[in-house]
Amino acid sequence: MKLLFCLTVHSFLSTPMPHLSSFIRWFPVFLLLLPGRAMAQQLPVERVSISTDQEVYIAGDLLWITAWCGQSFPTEIPLSTVLYVELLDGQGQAVMQAKLALEAGRAHAGLDLPDLLPTGHYFLRAYTQFQRNFPAESYATRLITILNPTLESVPMAVLPEPPLAVRFEQGQPLANTLNRLVVRVSEPGCQPQDLRIIDAAGKMMAEPKLVSGSLALFEVGLENAAYAVICTTASASLRLDLPSTALAGCGVTVEREASKLIVTLKPGSTSPQADWQLQLLGPDFQPVATQPVGTSLRLEVPASDLLPGLHPLLISNGKGEILYAGSYRWAQPAPAATLALDAGATPRSQWKAEVRLPANLSGALTARKSVPWPVQHTGDLLWANPWMAPHLMLADGTMPGTGLEPIAEVLYSAYLSEQPAMLGKEANMTWPPESRDLSVSGVVRTGQTKEPVKNALVLLSVVGEYPQIHAQRTGEDGSFRLALRDLEGIETLYAGVQPMEGRQLELLVNRDFSAELPRIIPLPLRFDPLVHQHFEALWIAFQTRQRWEKPATTPAYSPREINPLPINLGQPDVVVNVNDFINLPTMEEVFRNIVPKVTLTGEPGKRQLAVYEDLTMRNTDNPLVLLDYAAIFDIEALLELPTARLARVEVYQGSYVLGDQQFGGVVSLFTNTDDFARYPLARNGSFVSFATRQTVNSFELVTSPPALYQPDLRSVLAWYPQLTGQQMIGPWTGPDPAGTYEVLLQGCDQQGACWTWRASATQR
């Protein structure tokens, strides 16, 4: 049999989506968001922040996550309603993925970590579909550690490190300007405070301004000459010759005033050219302000246009080449919030906390065992993955407990200087926000020439326990986008496209999770006695929970229940149960004899169904035909099915509008099989296993002490992800182990800026 068309669905193939002109057709309200700036500055900002209950987990444990999706410039209209969460290993491979519902910009869930994950560091990241328009470095990312003593660790190929290594803020040393650089020492006999910068004559030019772990920060003015970093001690003598200084360099100075930020170009030996541009980007790498250098060397940015965090500062020439890439840390002081902890000093006593948050903040609270994580570990993370710097900083510009903020700025700027393509990229609205719910998008193209096909009818069916049907015709660029509603768990989707005579069609579905990755460098897991002791305690506590009965608990909050929508067809006008009639030999006789209101039209080989409409007393062509809720188009193939496999037929009269498509009624057939009665669905569509939203569970508080014989070794005592205003939290019962426990309150505003308040108590 000769096929007139060919349809394939690739659920994991990333395919370009339409530009802004096509997007407006989907989301007209977005026109309200464009205040008339240049195209690169028209897009609003979504900023995600994430918080976890711990930083160290056992494989197979629960990871409790709270997320905020803030929105700013130029609208307060809610955009995304779905958050994508991934756990990446050191090679950037996703080992866990989930989709969470965003309600009022908040999402939370308990995620089951796979029990076969090997010990190591992992990157937890969260983003919306709208954020996929911007570089992956802007996605919210946290580093967590997972332990699995039952599984042999995967060997990590770690490149040998030189005794001394250096990174410059501008990517290279510049003459006649102040240079900031970070030097890393990996030689045990040399300490960062022993480092010095010398010139060719051996004269000392600078000593470290800041030292943390193995890193040293220098600020030094350099001329057009040779320089080196040295370390001379009783046990080591090291030298690192610095690269030659660049004469054609330039830099910037930044001054902060109460209501604005002033950025001034600081030329090097080469005078600025008229086609140069001084530019400040936001944390999402989109332009906040641009000043042609030919007009002025000074750029003033209102404070209202800035978000807390690291803002890239760029100087580029007329060709778009990046001449300078630095960063500025814009900080906002912490709002007035209160965290008061009432903790018992003995095991199994009652604990509670009082929280007071300003009206513009929502918060999450975690009570847990203090983690003895060394500061130098953060330095190692920043050196290996400097793109993580913005994610380690709070809205007030600090990295609590580290003092690494200036070092983070330099390393982040050095990373930016190596990413000209990312910094020069202009967002073109490839990924519209999911403002209604989860969406499935893709493109229809010809099978041979791969050209996009416009006006092709795409039908998407959820064929599981909670069926849905959606339809849309493709745009000028062959794209479609269909929203699913109120679903949880894994669903089976059937995607199909109506055949076009004489054309082979191919349907591609966009990858639902982002395939974009920053430059991830794996980190070795380093142990010291305190960290090792904490790891052991976690492992013993995990085994104890598996072996002992659960103590009395109460939910910390009530999760919102998802009630899936009923099938979007309404009530049928005609229902025919085939078993109520004698067995008819062919499907043609079924339609002609026992299914009223349905007529077969056309000659054999080209037959179609029509639905009779009582109001107009005429047949309507082009009905929507469904088989177990999957849309089908080949009526001749339907007529070939054995009638014994047919259970029920439902008929809907009158015009039926589905999406942007109008049908002449609906004929819905149901089989008594689990394989669609072997109808050849692959001829005009394909199935996709699709993850919808994650089921949200409630954290269980231990409210009364366990039995005397039952040990209680919990490291996480309480987790409240939905705090507002003034609340008394608890009480909850403390565990058995002595030690220091901390309560962390994280509050975030509507723009996604977050602050953290801490309180601690010692249990003896």
Side-chain angles (χ1 to χ4, degrees):
M1 177 178 180
K2 183 177 181 180
L3 298 181
L4 298 179
F5 63 95
C6 174
L7 175 70
T8 59
V9 174
H10 304 281
S11 60
F12 298 106
L13 179 61
S14 182
T15 306
M17 285 286 293
H19 296 284
L20 184 60
S21 59
S22 296
F23 166 64
I24 293 175
R25 174 173 58 86
W26 296 325
F27 196 38
V29 75
F30 201 79
L31 288 171
L32 301 174
L33 314 183
L34 310 181
R37 296 191 183 188
M39 173 59 199
Q41 301 181 50
Q42 288 179 340
L43 302 182
V45 173
E46 284 191 341
R47 191 179 190 190
V48 174
S49 300
I50 53 176
S51 174
T52 57
D53 61 322
Q54 300 183 84
E55 282 80 35
V56 184
Y57 297 86
I58 301 295
D61 211 342
L62 269 173
L63 183 155
W64 295 94
I65 178 175
T66 305
W68 293 261
C69 181
Q71 299 165 11
S72 62
F73 170 73
T75 180
E76 294 181 358
I77 297 175
L79 297 181
S80 297
T81 60
V82 181
L83 184 73
Y84 292 74
V85 179
E86 294 184 281
L87 187 64
L88 309 176
D89 62 17
Q91 285 68 47
Q93 298 296 317
V95 297
M96 183 184 71
Q97 294 177 323
K99 301 169 188 174
L100 306 181
L102 279 166
E103 299 175 22
R106 296 288 302 277
H108 58 272
L111 306 178
D112 291 301
L113 293 172
D115 55 9
L116 294 180
L117 292 179
T119 296
H121 294 301
Y122 292 81
F123 295 88
L124 179 72
R125 70 173 184 173
Y127 53 90
T128 65
Q129 287 286 341
F130 179 69
Q131 284 186 293
R132 294 176 68 176
N133 294 298
F134 312 111
E137 284 82 350
S138 66
Y139 302 169
T141 309
R142 286 176 64 91
L143 185 78
I144 67 171
T145 302
I146 297 178
L147 305 174
N148 193 340
T150 66
L151 191 66
E152 185 176 350
S153 298
V154 176
M156 181 182 295
V158 179
L159 296 176
E161 299 175 352
L164 296 176
V166 63
R167 288 182 184 162
F168 284 84
E169 181 178 36
Q170 304 91 343
Q172 60 180 336
L174 301 180
N176 305 323
T177 187
L178 183 68
N179 289 260
R180 290 205 300 172
L181 60 145
V182 172
V183 180
R184 187 186 190 200
V185 183
S186 58
E187 177 65 40
C190 178
Q191 298 301 314
Q193 58 267 25
D194 299 325
L195 296 173
R196 299 291 184 269
I197 294 180
I198 62 172
D199 62 13
K203 178 184 176 182
M204 188 186 76
M205 301 296 298
E207 58 185 11
K209 183 175 182 179
L210 175 65
V211 170
S212 180
S214 61
L215 305 178
L217 171 70
F218 288 87
E219 290 186 354
V220 58
L222 302 178
E223 304 296 332
N224 185 25
Y227 299 93
V229 176
I230 64 169
C231 179
T232 304
T233 66
S235 57
S237 179
L238 304 175
R239 179 186 177 96
L240 173 65
D241 291 315
L242 298 180
S244 300
T245 53
L247 285 174
C250 54
V252 296
T253 59
V254 182
E255 300 174 82
R256 177 170 181 168
E257 296 185 356
S259 60
K260 60 185 176 181
L261 189 71
I262 302 174
V263 183
T264 306
L265 179 69
K266 187 173 57 175
S269 302
T270 301
S271 300
Q273 303 299 309
D275 63 350
W276 286 13
Q277 280 195 336
L278 181 60
Q279 196 171 49
L280 181 71
L281 307 183
D284 60 349
F285 302 98
Q286 291 306 293
V288 172
T290 300
Q291 177 66 57
V293 172
T295 304
S296 173
L297 302 182
R298 178 183 172 101
L299 173 64
E300 295 188 5
V301 185
S304 58
D305 286 354
L306 300 174
L307 292 174
L310 283 169
H311 289 252
L313 281 167
L314 306 179
I315 300 174
S316 58
N317 60 21
K319 300 178 182 179
E321 298 170 335
I322 305 300
L323 306 176
Y324 168 88
S327 64
Y328 178 74
R329 181 169 17 114
W330 179 260
Q332 289 184 358
T338 302
L339 171 62
L341 175 62
D342 182 4
T346 58
R348 305 196 176 194
S349 57
Q350 294 294 295
W351 296 37
K352 57 185 177 181
E354 183 180 4
V355 172
R356 293 183 182 179
L357 286 168
N360 65 327
L361 297 188
S362 59
L365 181 142
T366 300
R368 68 186 191 185
K369 187 76 176 290
S370 293
V371 180
W373 205 246
V375 173
Q376 59 264 29
H377 177 80
T378 305
D380 292 340
L381 170 63
L382 282 171
W383 183 266
N385 298 279
W387 57 270
M388 282 284 290
H391 310 296
L392 299 175
M393 290 185 178
L394 300 178
D396 60 5
T398 64
M399 301 168 62
T402 68
L404 285 166
E405 294 84 1
I407 290 177
E409 282 185 77
V410 173
L411 294 178
Y412 185 59
S413 298
Y415 177 79
L416 294 178
S417 68
E418 301 172 0
Q419 311 294 321
M422 176 183 72
L423 296 174
K425 180 182 178 182
E426 180 177 303
N428 59 1
M429 206 55 198
T430 301
W431 297 96
E434 292 178 307
S435 59
R436 297 178 62 194
D437 211 327
L438 278 167
S439 62
V440 179
S441 60
V443 66
V444 176
R445 64 187 189 185
T446 58
Q448 294 178 338
T449 63
K450 310 302 181 184
E451 296 178 354
V453 178
K454 67 177 182 179
N455 207 36
L457 176 60
V458 176
L459 284 142
L460 180 72
S461 302
V462 180
V463 296
E465 183 178 358
Y466 302 103
Q468 295 182 14
I469 304 167
H470 305 277
Q472 187 183 74
R473 289 194 177 272
T474 57
E476 292 290 330
D477 55 359
S479 65
F480 65 90
R481 181 181 178 86
L482 298 164
L484 307 179
R485 301 302 303 272
D486 294 330
L487 293 172
E488 286 188 335
I490 306 296
E491 293 287 350
T492 299
L493 309 184
Y494 179 75
V497 60
Q498 188 177 45
M500 291 183 172
E501 188 172 355
R503 304 181 75 176
Q504 290 184 339
L505 300 183
E506 185 177 58
L507 186 150
L508 294 93
V509 175
N510 286 322
R511 182 193 299 266
D512 48 355
F513 285 90
S514 173
E516 298 295 324
L517 290 173
R519 186 184 64 193
I520 292 179
I521 305 298
L523 293 176
L525 186 59
R526 303 186 188 277
F527 291 86
D528 66 19
L530 286 177
V531 172
H532 188 76
Q533 184 179 1
H534 182 71
F535 289 172
E536 283 186 334
L538 284 178
W539 175 234
I540 293 172
F542 180 80
Q543 294 179 88
T544 302
R545 291 198 303 272
Q546 310 302 311
R547 295 176 180 273
W548 294 88
E549 63 187 27
K550 191 176 183 180
T553 60
T554 186
Y557 58 90
S558 298
R560 185 177 78 90
E561 293 186 3
I562 296 294
N563 296 312
L565 296 176
I567 180 66
N568 53 329
L569 290 177
Q571 296 297 320
D573 298 297
V574 175
V575 178
V576 176
N577 292 307
V578 177
N579 290 336
D580 294 342
F581 299 86
I582 62 172
N583 186 30
L584 297 174
T586 66
M587 289 292 293
E588 180 178 354
E589 293 190 46
V590 169
F591 285 116
R592 294 192 185 281
N593 293 295
I594 67 173
V595 180
K597 313 297 184 181
V598 176
T599 304
L600 272 173
T601 64
E603 56 188 50
K606 298 181 179 179
R607 286 173 290 187
Q608 296 294 326
L609 296 179
V611 175
Y612 182 79
E613 186 178 352
D614 291 334
L615 184 62
T616 61
M617 294 186 295
R618 62 182 180 85
N619 286 332
T620 56
D621 297 327
N622 187 37
L624 173 63
V625 183
L626 305 173
L627 182 64
D628 291 336
Y629 291 119
I632 61 174
F633 304 101
D634 191 343
I635 303 304
E636 290 293 340
L638 175 65
L639 297 177
E640 296 294 326
L641 297 183
T643 58
R645 298 176 183 172
L646 185 65
R648 188 173 80 257
V649 180
E650 296 178 354
V651 182
Y652 299 77
Q653 296 177 281
S655 296
Y656 181 76
V657 177
L658 188 63
D660 60 1
Q661 180 67 16
Q662 180 172 320
F663 296 93
V666 180
V667 180
S668 184
L669 300 95
F670 298 89
T671 70
N672 52 26
T673 70
D674 58 1
D675 60 358
F676 299 88
R678 297 188 180 180
Y679 176 89
L681 287 168
R683 292 182 183 177
N684 63 326
S686 185
F687 290 95
V688 178
S689 181
F690 189 79
T692 63
R693 294 184 300 185
Q694 177 84 17
T695 302
V696 176
N697 301 316
S698 179
F699 184 91
E700 296 292 323
L701 290 171
V702 175
T703 54
S704 60
L708 292 177
Y709 63 84
Q710 181 174 343
D712 184 2
L713 306 178
R714 287 172 294 137
S715 57
V716 178
L717 314 182
W719 182 72
Y720 289 87
Q722 307 179 96
L723 300 181
T724 56
Q726 179 177 351
Q727 291 184 248
M728 186 63 72
I729 307 300
W732 63 83
T733 302
D736 292 338
T740 301
Y741 291 81
E742 60 182 356
V743 174
L744 283 76
L745 171 64
Q746 185 170 17
C748 298
D749 65 14
Q750 291 87 345
Q751 294 184 335
C754 297
W755 297 264
T756 298
W757 295 266
R758 297 170 184 261
S760 61
T762 300
Q763 181 170 285
R764 296 183 294 274

